[in-house]
Amino acid sequence: MASSINSLEAIQKKIDAVKLFLSVSLSIANAHTVDFYTCDVWDQFMAVPPVEVLTEITLNGDHKRAPEHYLNHCSGTAKKITFGFCDDSKRLVDVAELLEAAYAHSLPGLGVCVGRTELLQSLRHTDNAQPLEEAAVVESDEFMNSKKSHEVQAMSEVVSSLAQRCRVTQVIDVGSGKGYLCSFLSLQYGLQVYGIDSSSVNTHGAQERNRKLKKYSRAYQRHSKANRTPTVMPPSGQEDLEDVAPEDNSLPELDQSDPASAPEDPFLSALCVGMVEPTSPRVPPSELSLEERERRKRENLERKARSWVNSGGMGCGMLYSPLTSYVTAETELKEIIGELEDAVMVGLHTCGDLAPSTLRMFVAKRELLSVCSVGCCYHLLSEEFDPTRQECPSSSVCGFPLSGYLREQSWFCGRNARMSACLALERVAKGQGIQMESLFYRAVLHVILRDHYSSFKSEKRVGNVYSKATSFVDYVWRALRRLELDESKLSDGVIQSYHDTYRPRMVEMEAFNMLKVTLAPCIEGLILLDRLCYLKEQGSVRLKWWMSTGDLLSPVQFLQEDVAFSTLVQLFDPLLSPRCYGVVGVKAPGMELSE
């Protein structure tokens, strides 16, 4: 029997606790960094000096009060909760209390997640599990950077265990990108994988990778039959070979090169390079000698070829089937995959609304027996009840909230808060801090636009002019040209005077943004708890529907397709992969795992 600790009622109670905390603190996350000086954001929200905020955050290692301290207040029987904010002025007066509350209302503080090892043990110790055939051992770091290798290895082990648990051999990877997870699942675990991505560039690249692996596997086989030491040399002519560890930008948590997904908030932009996508510890290929690069390429291709042959790849065509299609919750998978059987659905860092769509598909489609979904890019989520939103997607189904529980309450976070949810607290805590100067430049530029261009609001974005600027003066000139504004209104001296006036107040922005980072896990936690709550709602919803219709089928028959097991699991090291939590669900007729 499932434990009541993560029952639907328990999850709803934790959602209530996080909502209560955010109802007081969410205004900080929703404050736009661009407006920091024009709207006097610090004085609006803070009643303490910025140095006190930074000092408390630095000493925050022990601010971890038990979550029950806050959960017990939800009944309303105790004194009114302020979480460090003054009840009358709504300004922050106690930084330590806010930090304690922020931890208590994060996923680790709430104690709602299981560990990856614990999940694997639960999946493997069931009578229903069926071992998969042994497959070749694949060295994933030979063709992925360190971050992607860590993610793929950790997630593929969970996915393969889910496949064993459900007795299936098919996997559907939604938002498969360049297909690294697909390839690894196929090679390492012998699964039949269909990778669906909306980008034809990604699926074409995956097909090319499969073609090359097949080509070099034949060469390797010929060498093996000749009893030679396998050495696959690059062919003559111009062949587009992969490097030793090419960077994977197919599924970035925040892809700076993609205009459609690039964040508008410069606070988030400043965090992307150093905090969201870590650099690989390997020596860059450009710094290696030509001989060393060729040697590593040969070794890499030999390993791939051996894996291909050992896993039976010579007789089965491609490693997996990459498919190009735009997927929504209403997509009919059988129209895309002609050979579709019962399968596990996965998504590794599926952006925006694609993650909740994956969960909706899992619930709605009989052939999907299990799901493992890791979302990202919360700033791209559509919110049904956000009054400032334009429209939900063409499907009219928004990405948040997903659960009926939050939808009944018309809850929304706001776009700036969702952007803040993308931040990486663990990396900031380890000293991978915020690029404050670029944020400061953008906020002071907004003051200049207000003073000299009548509070000018441009639909055009300033963009990343900071990386090209040599000084604040140069930054402003570049921004004005980008916005196509009259440059004759300003001079170098006037621009520099703005910089000198606001420079002493830069510490305010630093302290405020650190509070945003502190709140990020709570906002992300609410989004993920909403998705977990959605899965846990399915059984009770279907049973209520059966009782209201008086259908001749028994409730047992209805519940056989319900989600018998669902949980949140920490799959990755948050320092390597900040979006480290996965939503796991299993349809298992008549069986449950202990949660």
Side-chain angles (χ1 to χ4, degrees), residues 101-118:
Y103 174 79
H105 295 92
S106 65
L107 293 180
L110 292 169
V112 71
C113 292
V114 301
R116 192 176 72 94
T117 301
E118 181 183 352

Side-chain angles (χ1 to χ4, degrees), residues 85-91:
F85 289 85
C86 174
D87 296 340
D88 296 327
S89 69
K90 310 303 180 185
R91 301 168 75 200

Side-chain angles (χ1 to χ4, degrees), residues 107-108 113 373-375 524 528 569-572 578-583:
L107 293 180
C113 292
S373 171
V374 181
E524 178 183 33
L528 295 179
V569 56
Q570 181 175 333
L571 291 170
F572 314 132
R579 306 282 73 80
C580 61
Y581 296 105
V583 181

